[in-house]
Amino acid sequence: MARDYITTSEEQKKRLEQFRSWHDEAYLYIHQAITQERPDTGRKDVALTMYQKGLELLDLGLCVDMEIGLGLNWEKGRKMQQKMSKTRSHVHSRILEILEQLSPS
């Protein structure tokens, strides 16, 4: 019985680490996309790619069941997911706007 608990705890720890990795990487891509959109850079094509990669990683993170864990780290994870959900909506809107801007008139 104790062995099962340890395995479950280890699996939960790995799941939380993977979630954080997806979260951090998603926000790095999104930050890069914002940087590429600045007037001095003006690379909307690159921004689009960065936003799309960020969106994929946000989706992966949002699929993680954060309700299974207990404790401060899991509570932080649940809050991170709430933020990710809002960010996903904004990123999706930016992708649609950029696609419209890049499409030939």
Side-chain angles (χ1 to χ4, degrees), residues 30-94:
I30 293 164
H31 177 72
Q32 289 174 356
I34 292 167
T35 301
Q36 292 300 317
E37 280 196 273
R38 288 195 308 222
D40 60 328
T41 309
R43 293 293 312 265
K44 292 195 182 288
D45 56 328
V46 176
L48 178 63
T49 301
M50 297 295 114
Y51 278 131
Q52 289 169 331
K53 288 180 180 182
L55 186 67
E56 290 173 16
L57 291 161
L58 287 173
D59 286 342
L60 288 172
L62 289 169
C63 288
V64 175
D65 182 5
M66 298 302 286
E67 298 302 319
I68 62 167
L70 299 173
L72 184 60
N73 287 333
W74 286 93
E75 183 59 35
K76 286 180 183 178
R78 287 186 277 277
K79 288 180 182 178
M80 289 165 68
Q81 262 190 340
Q82 291 172 354
K83 180 183 172 188
M84 290 168 74
S85 181
K86 291 177 186 175
T87 300
R88 187 195 187 285
S89 176
H90 295 294
V91 168
H92 185 260
S93 294
R94 282 305 302 139

